[in-house]
Amino acid sequence: MREILITNDDGYESEGLHALIEAIRPLGHVTVVAPSTEKSACGHSLTLTRPMRFIGVDDDFYKLDDGTPSDCIYLALHSLFEERRPDIVLSGINKGANMGEDITYSGTASAAMEAVLHGIPAVAFSQVTPHTDTKAPIYDFTLAARVAAKLTEKILNGGFPLAPRRFLNVNIPHGQRDAAWKITHAGYRLYGNDAHRHHNPRGEEYYWLGLHPLNWQSRESLPYPSMSDFDAIHAGYVSISPIQLDMTAYDDIARLERWLER
């Protein structure tokens, strides 16, 4: 039986996580290790300053006390899978998009990063929303769960299509019963300032970071022609992007060498 490890960054009670679990159960033996609380935008972080513990929620379902998604994968691989490693790691289904440079912030994507660092195929799933209010009752994971099951089954039966230390980042459009799949590149996200300044009852100043609308721009040159993840979602496609952890700007190496010699 295939071994499947699932996590997320919205916490162990998230509707998206449970939709993913139910969709994947028919494909193999599922183990779940998820953060005890929401860890959105925590990036690829590990907890080094305090101890953590697994807390049983159900059979083969654990929450990691105050752990990040990367902690969940790291500790699960070294504590729960001593004899046999998972065949695949799945992360999600995230509440909200993870496209463009948001991938670097994403705890959902970072769990997949941690998995491929250990040589295990991984996929991150995110449900795009029509606006930035993540508490609104607008989440329908039906299509996302179906996409996750179909893509996972294809990987388990046909093999993982990427080179080592690369993962698949999948975003699903909102409000559709079905959608074709499109292989995409990570687009250029446009950011603004959504920091809100307030004062507490004692008059002390504090800031609350908000969420930006999904604005983007096209890339002028590409090593391989493809649609961006933003454009694909805007056109109603499921976006599937191959993401690598090597962030070296190879095109700049020769330029830097010449600059250093001046």
Side-chain angles (χ1 to χ4, degrees):
M1 179 175 287
R2 304 301 180 92
E3 291 289 341
I4 303 168
L5 175 59
I6 293 179
T7 192
N8 76 339
D9 75 353
D10 288 318
Y12 75 102
E13 295 179 304
S14 170
E15 303 97 317
L17 173 68
H18 288 270
L20 179 61
I21 294 169
E22 292 306 310
I24 298 301
R25 281 199 191 280
L27 302 181
H29 177 255
V30 172
T31 300
V32 182
V33 180
S36 59
T37 59
E38 182 178 347
K39 294 292 181 178
S40 296
C42 68
H44 192 189
S45 60
L46 292 173
T47 301
L48 305 179
T49 57
R50 60 183 179 274
M52 293 171 287
R53 63 193 180 106
F54 292 102
I55 301 173
V57 176
D58 203 341
D59 293 340
D60 298 314
F61 190 145
Y62 306 88
K63 61 179 180 179
L64 189 62
D65 189 24
D66 205 28
T68 68
S70 297
D71 289 327
C72 291
I73 299 304
Y74 183 93
L75 291 176
L77 294 180
H78 291 87
S79 301
L80 304 179
F81 292 90
E82 296 179 353
E83 297 183 1
R84 180 181 174 184
R85 291 154 67 84
D87 294 288
I88 193 170
V89 167
L90 306 177
S91 183
I93 301 167
N94 188 64
K95 291 183 175 181
N98 279 307
M99 300 186 290
E101 290 86 353
D102 277 358
I103 295 170
T104 63
Y105 291 112
S106 169
T108 303
S110 294
M113 294 179 192
E114 189 64 28
V116 298
L117 282 178
H118 296 274
I120 300 171
V123 187
F125 296 99
S126 299
Q127 173 62 64
V128 180
T129 57
H131 50 71
T132 58
D133 183 2
T134 59
K135 298 302 182 182
I138 56 175
Y139 295 102
D140 181 354
F141 297 101
T142 303
L143 175 59
R146 192 162 68 244
V147 169
K150 187 175 181 180
L151 183 59
T152 301
E153 184 176 28
K154 185 174 181 66
I155 292 170
L156 292 175
N157 292 335
F160 196 57
L162 301 183
R165 301 200 173 204
R166 299 179 183 184
F167 68 95
L168 292 175
N169 186 52
V170 181
N171 284 271
I172 295 91
H174 170 77
Q176 296 183 202
R177 294 185 178 181
D178 201 3
W181 299 4
K182 183 73 70 173
I183 304 302
T184 62
H185 65 267
Y188 282 164
R189 177 77 188 272
L190 297 179
Y191 292 93
N193 179 13
D194 199 25
H196 301 268
R197 185 175 65 177
H198 302 276
H199 292 83
N200 67 19
R202 296 183 179 182
E204 298 170 324
E205 184 178 278
Y206 68 92
Y207 289 85
W208 195 288
L209 299 184
L211 296 174
H212 305 282
L214 288 177
N215 296 326
W216 70 96
Q217 68 181 28
S218 299
R219 296 171 62 174
E220 295 181 358
S221 61
L222 294 168
Y224 185 86
S226 59
M227 180 179 285
S228 78
D229 44 12
F230 293 103
D231 290 317
I233 288 296
H234 184 68
Y237 293 107
V238 171
S239 168
I240 304 177
S241 301
I243 305 298
Q244 63 182 9
L245 272 64
D246 182 355
M247 294 187 288
T248 305
Y250 289 100
D251 293 344
D252 288 321
I253 290 178
R255 182 182 298 107
L256 278 174
E257 289 175 341
R258 293 192 298 269
W259 172 81
L260 193 61
E261 292 171 356
R262 292 176 186 171

